Amino acid sequence: MPSDPAELSPADLAGYIDHTLLKPEASEADVLRLCSEAVQHRFKAVCVNPVWVKTAVTALKGSGVLTCAVAGFPLGATPTDVKVFEARGAVLDGADEVDMVINIAAARADDRGALVEDIQAVAEAVHGSSSILKVIIETSLLTDAQKVLACEAAVEAGADFVKTSTGFNGGGATVEDIQLMRATVGPTLGVKASGGVRTADDARAMIAAGATRIGASSGVAIVTGGSGTGGY
């Protein structure tokens, strides 16, 4: 694979993409279609609501495509023990990865301790099953200083990735936010650009800025050189 993101072909981008379907009205047929597309295009993962984890795991068995579930989604405003229960249930159902939403109010209040406690508890639950934890900081609701605080808390708490957005609260990934997040977490933690990434050029720009994963409902459009319409 080329080292320069500008040289990545649409097909090269597949290995970065979490093919995403988080709409509350998504049906079993929709989830199975998502999984089929992920296998066909060799995406990194599919990302679904917890109720669909078992369906996705079964559909993806033997394909090499990972199953990702969300926790505390999309508001992050549930108690930590509820997030832990949800995340643990997802990994017991077979999820390889969990994307949790932080306590956004704590970030806006500059409460580092609350952020670390929330993330760390979920990280311990997820890592107990050797799964990966991504931490959604919801960049559209935070100042730059609060974004830095949230990323620092994710590092301290033992998360594996930081992620920009849920896609449900306005805004989305920007090059500037990815650069800031990468500068904050350093070279080893993953950075996931999520929300508004709809074309191959969008994806390349995020990767050039420091993203190592792309969350998108437009994965097929991205890898076939088209343009997605958005909407999780």
Side-chain angles (χ1 to χ4, degrees):
M1 186 175 291
S3 58
D4 181 355
E7 296 178 358
L8 291 168
S9 71
D12 289 332
L13 296 170
Y16 289 87
I17 292 173
D18 288 357
H19 196 34
T20 301
L21 179 61
L22 295 169
K23 293 179 179 179
E25 72 273 21
S27 67
E28 181 179 23
D30 294 330
V31 171
L32 291 174
R33 187 179 310 112
L34 183 86
C35 293
S36 177
E37 291 169 347
V39 172
Q40 177 185 352
H41 296 286
R42 299 184 180 180
F43 292 133
K44 181 67 175 181
V46 300
C47 188
V48 295
N49 281 306
V51 70
W52 297 117
V53 169
K54 288 183 179 179
T55 300
V57 168
T58 299
L60 296 170
K61 186 176 181 180
S63 70
V65 179
L66 303 177
T67 298
C68 175
V70 291
F73 193 89
L75 301 178
T78 48
T80 297
D81 57 355
V82 176
K83 293 181 186 178
V84 168
F85 183 85
E86 189 172 26
R88 185 179 291 120
V91 297
L92 287 174
D93 282 345
D96 303 290
E97 302 181 339
V98 172
D99 290 12
M100 70 166 285
V101 186
I102 64 164
N103 181 336
I104 297 165
R108 289 170 64 100
D110 299 322
D111 190 343
R112 184 189 187 99
L115 287 169
V116 172
E117 181 180 348
D118 189 50
I119 298 166
Q120 188 171 50
V122 180
E124 289 173 355
V126 170
H127 291 159
S129 295
S130 300
S131 297
I132 295 296
L133 179 65
K134 308 193 205 85
V135 174
I136 306 170
I137 68 170
E138 202 66 288
T139 50
S140 64
L141 300 181
L142 304 179
T143 66
D144 282 354
Q146 292 162 353
K147 294 167 194 174
V148 169
L149 174 67
C151 288
E152 289 176 344
V155 173
E156 182 177 342
D160 303 289
F161 274 77
V162 289
K163 173 180 170 181
T164 55
S165 316
T166 63
F168 282 79
N169 287 306
T174 67
V175 165
E176 293 77 16
D177 280 340
I178 294 299
Q179 290 171 335
L180 178 65
M181 293 164 71
R182 173 54 69 200
T184 303
V185 303
T188 56
L189 225 70
V191 176
K192 180 173 172 180
S194 186
V197 183
R198 296 180 181 133
T199 68
D201 283 344
D202 290 341
R204 292 187 193 102
M206 297 301 168
I207 294 165
T212 50
R213 197 77 69 87
I214 304 293
S217 58
S218 303
V220 174
I222 290 170
V223 300
T224 57
S227 177
T229 57
Y232 265 29

